[in-house]
Amino acid sequence: SLLFYAWGEPIWIVAMLASTLVNWVCAGMISVCRGDAAKRGWMIAGVGFAGALLFVFKYTAFFANSFLSLFGAEARVAGLKLPIGISFFTFQAISYIVDVYRGHGEAQKHFLGVCLYISFFPQLIAGPIVRYETVAAEIKGRTETLDDFTEGARRFMVGLSKKAILANSLALIVDSIFALSPEKVSVAMSWYAAIAYLMQVYYDFSGYSDMAIGLGRMFGFHFLENFTFPFLSKSVTEFWRRWHISLCTWFRDYVFFPLGGSRVKSKIRLLFNMFVVWSLTGLWHGAEWTYVLWGVGFFVVLSIEKLTGLGKWVEKHAVGHLYAMFAVVVVTVLIRSESVAAAGDFYKTMFGLSGAPLWNPLSGVFLREYGLFFAAA
């Protein structure tokens, strides 16, 4: 796994090993300390180091430049080169520390055990996020079987096909249309690109997850599913129960529940908890304001569903499917746009507010050239 990571990231492998070493020491101290205060202190130290490492590499430039822009300064801070997969291995490092602290898994006595968990190559750079408690026993001892190996190989090939055949083909539609100047994009083309992008992300990410799950199974690891047919959802709430499950459950168990979850007495506090989770979810995906607004956009939709009962109502009716897919497609446009202003221009075209025609000759070209892959997806 270390050779695999070093092949693409020869320098910053040091950052990953440093995070692993600190987590190994902190978890080890948690396991031998007797007092609750001492255990909590070591847990905070481990989580703090992992979080600080992620912040320095991924968010320093974002927050610095946002601060400078607030005061009208033209100067910009250059960001550090981002270590591959740092968002994923940081969350796994935090999972290890917290699960040991909570008693959901034993601390690894040997450094290589923690190193295997955090650096395991199948899911190291693109997920899914593997919770420590789900693989703690298999790190110490697992059984490889021919059935697991063949099923893992089959799953890997399905994932590779999703990525190479569908996701990469859909990317041609998306990249081509988003690269056009606004006056060349019709209303139909904008919706074509927006829907294609959502499917591209799905086949790309679920394909990577399939490959990781398959490779893990070949080695005797049984990772949890990361996607369960999200496009069958009848509400946005249901969509997020089916989409990127490992990330959603991570934020639920390590952020939302510690804040009080949905059992708080005040609706204002519930909204605050949801806002924190979805703002962090957006930031986790990318250090850009488009990603932050993407998270806030889902916060708004999910809050409306929860507070008004809309979510439960639409899940009982066929219209719920159309509503959920419409909402998800619209919000997802944000993370494909180059800037907030560009997203605004694209929305104007989608909803016929830019003066763009419903259809133009270029629309037919894109439909003819890429329609087969779109239909297949």
Side-chain angles (χ1 to χ4, degrees), residues 313-375:
W313 185 86
V314 292
E315 287 179 9
K316 297 177 182 178
H317 299 83
V319 71
H321 180 258
L322 294 176
Y323 149 76
M325 293 302 99
F326 172 82
V328 173
V329 166
V330 170
V331 176
T332 304
V333 165
L334 279 163
I335 59 174
R336 181 55 185 82
S337 302
E338 295 295 328
S339 64
V340 175
D345 291 338
F346 201 84
Y347 282 136
K348 288 179 181 178
T349 302
M350 288 178 69
F351 293 101
L353 302 176
S354 66
L358 181 63
W359 184 271
N360 61 16
L362 198 55
S363 306
V365 173
F366 276 98
L367 186 61
R368 184 172 64 251
E369 292 295 323
Y370 305 112
L372 177 63
F373 291 106
F374 186 86

Side-chain angles (χ1 to χ4, degrees), residues 39-315:
K39 290 177 181 288
R40 190 179 302 111
W42 284 107
M43 183 271 291
I44 292 172
V47 171
F49 181 84
L53 194 68
L54 178 63
F55 183 88
V56 167
F57 279 102
K58 192 169 183 176
Y59 302 112
T60 302
F62 168 72
F63 282 104
N65 289 328
S66 297
F67 181 79
L68 291 171
S69 297
L70 188 63
F71 292 96
E74 296 183 0
R76 287 294 177 267
V77 176
L80 295 171
K81 185 178 184 296
L82 198 64
I84 298 172
I86 189 171
S87 296
F88 289 99
F89 72 69
T90 297
F91 271 28
Q92 293 203 181
I94 293 173
S95 173
Y96 173 62
I97 287 287
V98 176
D99 285 354
V100 169
Y101 173 75
R102 291 175 174 175
H104 295 170
E106 294 182 0
Q108 295 290 324
K109 294 181 180 179
H110 303 291
F111 174 69
L112 287 180
V114 185
C115 203
L116 172 62
Y117 165 64
I118 292 179
S119 70
F120 192 42
F121 76 93
Q123 40 72 230
L124 171 62
I125 60 173
I129 300 168
V130 177
R131 299 269 291 277
Y132 178 65
E133 63 182 55
T134 66
V135 294
E138 290 181 333
I139 289 174
K140 290 186 175 181
R142 58 194 172 277
T143 302
E144 298 86 358
T145 67
L146 184 59
D147 286 344
D148 270 353
F149 189 90
T150 53
E151 175 58 26
R154 186 200 67 82
R155 185 68 178 269
F156 179 86
M157 288 188 284
V158 170
L160 180 61
S161 299
K162 282 183 179 179
K163 165 61 180 169
I165 299 173
L166 291 174
N168 289 357
S169 300
L170 290 166
L172 297 175
I173 304 173
V174 176
D175 294 345
S176 299
I177 294 178
F178 271 88
L180 293 172
S181 54
E183 65 272 10
K184 294 182 179 179
V185 181
S186 67
V187 174
M189 284 172 64
S190 65
W191 282 98
Y192 187 44
I195 296 170
Y197 179 63
L198 179 61
M199 292 195 294
Q200 176 199 340
V201 173
Y202 170 70
Y203 285 112
D204 196 316
F205 200 8
S206 72
Y208 276 127
S209 295
D210 286 341
M211 286 188 275
I213 292 169
L215 278 170
R217 192 160 180 178
M218 291 165 72
F219 287 99
F221 286 95
H222 296 80
F223 300 152
L224 299 179
E225 293 296 334
N226 204 25
F227 292 85
T228 55
F229 305 102
F231 295 136
L232 298 181
S233 304
K234 290 187 175 181
S235 70
V236 178
T237 301
E238 182 185 1
F239 178 83
W240 280 104
R241 289 198 297 263
R242 295 170 172 268
W243 178 284
H244 204 345
I245 299 168
S246 63
L247 180 68
C248 292
T249 55
W250 195 98
F251 272 110
R252 181 195 67 193
D253 294 344
Y254 298 117
V255 180
F256 188 62
F257 285 168
L259 287 173
S262 58
R263 296 183 178 181
V264 292
K265 296 180 180 179
S266 168
K267 289 185 178 180
I268 294 177
R269 181 53 193 265
L270 172 61
L271 290 173
F272 172 78
N273 294 349
M274 293 176 64
F275 178 78
V276 170
V277 167
W278 282 101
S279 297
L280 291 176
T281 301
L283 270 176
W284 183 86
H285 280 84
E288 299 287 347
W289 281 108
T290 49
Y291 285 95
V292 175
L293 290 178
W294 171 84
V296 172
F298 275 116
F299 157 72
V300 171
V301 176
L302 292 168
S303 298
I304 292 172
E305 287 191 1
K306 192 169 188 67
L307 296 181
T308 65
L310 175 65
K312 292 183 178 179
W313 185 86
V314 292
E315 287 179 9

